[in-house]
Amino acid sequence: MTTLNFDMILDVNKGEAWKVIADFAGISVFHPAVPKSYAINQSERSGLGAERRCELSNDGKKYIDERIIRFVDGKEYDVVIYGGNQMPPVNNLIVTIGIQELANKHIRVYLQANYQPKYGPIGTVMNLMMIKPFLSKAMNGILLGFKHYMESGQPVQSFGTLQAAGLFA
């Protein structure tokens, strides 16, 4: 099992931050690799069982479908990818996104990914060479995108948006 942890301290209101994080269907406003996201299968935009499609290309031809499998209102939730045509080469990928209130009106936003690489020993090598670096870049991008969106109010269009803002090299 591989576990990746990322977090960031921000000087933003916890209630406003949770409102953005909890809008599961609206992740495209701060995820630099998701140009469009929306609720699917007549689910709610948030909460336990909510489902979304994340389009990974501007034409919508590349996508993943995700579902919230655990939801603690005001704190965190767990997400699984259950469908799509861009499935990662891992088993049991669960991503937790959450928020913690700190002193002096600061918050800690955190992401944790737990997964098992597919393909046995070859998957272990793939994990070190490709999967872990890819997921690390994506998770850092999500946190930086969230920071950019919360501080500027401007949606993140791509990693280029973060680079232009001096947040991502």
Side-chain angles (χ1 to χ4, degrees):
M1 180 70 72
T2 300
T3 300
L4 302 174
N5 289 294
F6 296 88
D7 67 353
M8 179 176 287
I9 307 299
L10 298 173
D11 184 16
V12 297
N13 175 278
K14 182 185 182 229
E16 291 299 311
W18 178 252
K19 186 174 152 184
V20 173
I21 290 170
D23 182 13
F24 184 63
I27 193 170
S28 60
V29 299
F30 66 88
H31 194 311
V34 178
K36 186 176 181 183
S37 61
Y38 46 90
I40 58 172
N41 299 326
Q42 300 175 339
S43 82
E44 297 295 322
R45 290 185 63 86
S46 184
L48 185 63
E51 296 182 1
R52 71 179 171 208
R53 174 157 293 170
C54 292
E55 294 185 359
L56 306 175
S57 59
N58 289 326
D59 62 8
K61 291 181 181 178
K62 296 179 181 180
Y63 64 91
I64 56 172
D65 295 334
E66 299 177 313
R67 177 183 303 120
I68 294 178
I69 59 168
R70 186 180 67 86
F71 187 86
V72 181
D73 195 22
K75 182 174 177 8
E76 65 183 15
Y77 57 84
D78 293 345
V79 179
V80 296
I81 299 172
Y82 70 87
N85 60 15
Q86 298 295 302
M87 299 293 286
V90 299
N91 291 315
N92 307 315
L93 173 62
I94 298 175
V95 176
T96 301
I97 183 168
I99 189 170
Q100 175 186 16
E101 191 165 26
L102 304 173
N104 301 324
K105 299 182 182 178
H106 288 83
I107 62 165
R108 175 180 162 260
V109 180
Y110 56 91
L111 290 167
Q112 181 180 73
N114 291 292
Y115 63 93
Q116 183 67 42
K118 291 182 180 179
Y119 314 122
I122 292 172
T124 301
V125 173
M126 286 176 54
N127 187 44
L128 292 172
M129 302 292 290
M130 298 175 359
I131 300 167
K132 199 172 176 182
F134 175 82
L135 287 175
S136 295
K137 178 182 177 181
M139 292 175 77
N140 270 320
I142 292 167
L143 289 175
L144 291 169
F146 182 75
K147 172 184 172 58
H148 176 77
Y149 181 74
M150 292 304 297
E151 292 177 351
S152 71
Q154 298 297 312
V156 175
Q157 305 293 315
S158 67
F159 281 97
T161 303
L162 299 177
Q163 290 168 333
L167 296 172
F168 202 84

